[in-house]
Amino acid sequence: MTDAHDPQDIPGGDRLARFEEQRSRLWAVAYRIMGTVSDADDAVQETWLRWQALPDDPPVANARGYLTTVVSRICYDLLGSARARRELYVGPWLPEPLLADADATGVAPEDRVTLDESVGMALMAVLERLTPAERTAFILHDVFAVTFPEIAEAVGRTTESVRQLASRARKKVRAEAPRRTVDRAEHQRTVEAFLSAVMGGDFDALLSLLDPEVIWRSDGGGKVTAARRPVLGREKVARYALGLVARNFDPATMRVALRDVNGATGLVYADAGGSQEGVLAFTVHEGRITEVDAVINPDKLGHLDFDRL
């Protein structure tokens, strides 16, 4: 972290303003590395405390670079212990979802993070398979265009080492990332058709929307009833989805809405009493659904305002 002599950078009372200019970027970095809203919030708060504790003289020449390095280092250190916890997690582990509307904190996600392909639920699941160093290097370089020397400082490696880490991560992501359409309108039409077929109990229509090798993952975390292994294949997924609606959906109390989930159209549902809540993210390719990621663990939904449905 390089200090220099720019007297305009942190002149006393301007310290908070300088930090606020970078807050949304810092949160964006932290969420992509950690995959959880709470950890991203904690990392940004810790970054602020470290920024606040800096001496005024000499000031930091490049606040953006300095703060990005600090938040990345904090997340990199947290990710090792987080991964250990996730290995003991009950069932599939999925990231905490982001919705396009303002969440329960009153802060709109677009003020925290640009909802683009790099926060797609399926891609975030792929990032879970990378080592902490690979994930950090890939996100910083390929998503945020941070230089390799700055990344090296964040993860405590040499510049050449992080260059190799980013390259290795990139190859893994390209090999394992799901096929997906880039046409947002096509994606939305497919999700709307899925909702219509499921609510109408139309098995054949549902089959026509599902890829033969579709995967349904349910993240209940052991807190609510959920499939502890992914459901694989078109017919099994269709029966599973229709079964969920038949068992759990009461039209008198349940609300379902199309919402932007991690950058693409998904579904959010909740009942009037709050006993059932969930977020579904979809991966669509050539008009068929290839992946469904259902987050129903209440611990991962606490930052969302379901009353807005």
Side-chain angles (χ1 to χ4, degrees):
M1 301 176 189
T2 304
D3 290 350
H5 300 275
D6 180 359
Q8 300 302 313
D9 196 59
I10 319 177
D14 199 33
R15 188 184 294 263
L16 176 60
R18 292 288 180 175
F19 183 84
E20 290 301 327
E21 287 177 358
Q22 304 301 324
R23 181 183 289 275
S24 62
R25 172 184 169 86
L26 300 178
W27 199 92
V29 170
Y31 175 76
R32 286 168 172 82
I33 294 177
M34 299 304 302
T36 61
V37 171
S38 55
D39 284 336
D41 288 343
D42 289 346
V44 172
Q45 177 63 21
E46 177 61 24
T47 302
W48 159 245
L49 293 175
R50 296 187 188 186
W51 175 250
Q52 193 177 34
L54 284 175
D56 290 335
D57 187 31
V60 175
N62 182 353
R64 181 187 181 96
Y66 178 90
L67 290 168
T68 299
T69 299
V70 171
V71 78
S72 301
R73 180 69 199 189
I74 291 169
C75 290
Y76 175 65
D77 291 340
L78 287 172
L79 192 55
S81 58
R83 282 173 62 89
R85 292 194 303 273
R86 291 170 194 177
E87 289 177 0
L88 302 175
Y89 196 78
V90 178
W93 189 96
L94 293 172
E96 292 182 3
L98 299 179
L99 303 186
D101 293 342
D103 59 25
T105 65
V107 180
E110 59 267 25
D111 294 331
R112 291 175 156 187
V113 57
T114 300
L115 296 182
D116 58 22
E117 182 180 359
S118 67
V119 291
M121 192 71 74
L123 180 59
M124 293 282 283
V126 172
L127 295 180
E128 282 295 309
R129 302 167 202 163
L130 304 179
T131 68
E134 288 173 341
R135 181 169 183 163
T136 304
F138 173 79
I139 290 168
L140 291 178
H141 184 265
D142 285 44
V143 179
F144 292 95
V146 177
T147 66
F148 287 123
E150 291 175 292
I151 299 171
E153 193 166 0
V155 301
R157 307 284 185 97
T158 66
T159 299
E160 182 57 32
S161 174
V162 295
R163 190 188 305 274
Q164 293 174 2
L165 285 168
S167 176
R168 191 160 61 238
R170 192 177 306 117
K171 290 177 182 177
K172 291 181 180 179
V173 169
R174 287 174 178 170
E176 299 183 29
R179 298 165 298 158
R180 59 183 294 276
T181 183
V182 295
D183 186 333
R184 290 182 62 87
E186 177 189 329
H187 181 105
Q188 179 164 334
R189 284 194 301 270
T190 306
V191 175
E192 289 174 342
F194 170 89
L195 178 60
S196 177
V198 168
M199 291 302 162
D202 192 332
F203 184 77
D204 290 337
L206 188 53
L207 282 182
S208 70
L209 294 167
L210 300 175
D211 185 85
E213 298 180 355
V214 63
I215 300 173
W216 180 301
R217 304 182 190 89
S218 299
D219 181 343
K223 302 297 179 69
V224 295
T225 302
R228 296 194 176 187
R229 293 183 180 179
V231 181
L232 308 175
R234 179 161 51 194
E235 292 197 1
K236 288 183 179 179
V237 167
R239 291 193 181 96
Y240 183 77
L242 292 175
L244 288 176
V245 172
R247 291 191 302 272
N248 303 317
F249 187 82
D250 182 351
T253 60
M254 189 75 77
R255 296 159 294 154
V256 182
L258 291 166
R259 295 281 291 275
D260 193 307
V261 178
N262 283 62
T265 302
L267 296 173
V268 181
Y269 67 86
D271 66 11
S275 61
Q276 294 187 66
E277 298 174 336
V279 176
L280 275 63
F282 298 82
T283 303
V284 175
H285 180 67
E286 296 181 347
R288 287 184 172 178
I289 296 167
T290 60
E291 298 190 11
V292 182
D293 291 308
V295 181
I296 54 178
N297 181 349
D299 293 345
K300 292 188 174 183
L301 303 174
H303 62 288
L304 303 177
D305 184 2
F306 286 91
D307 291 336
R308 292 173 57 87
L309 288 183

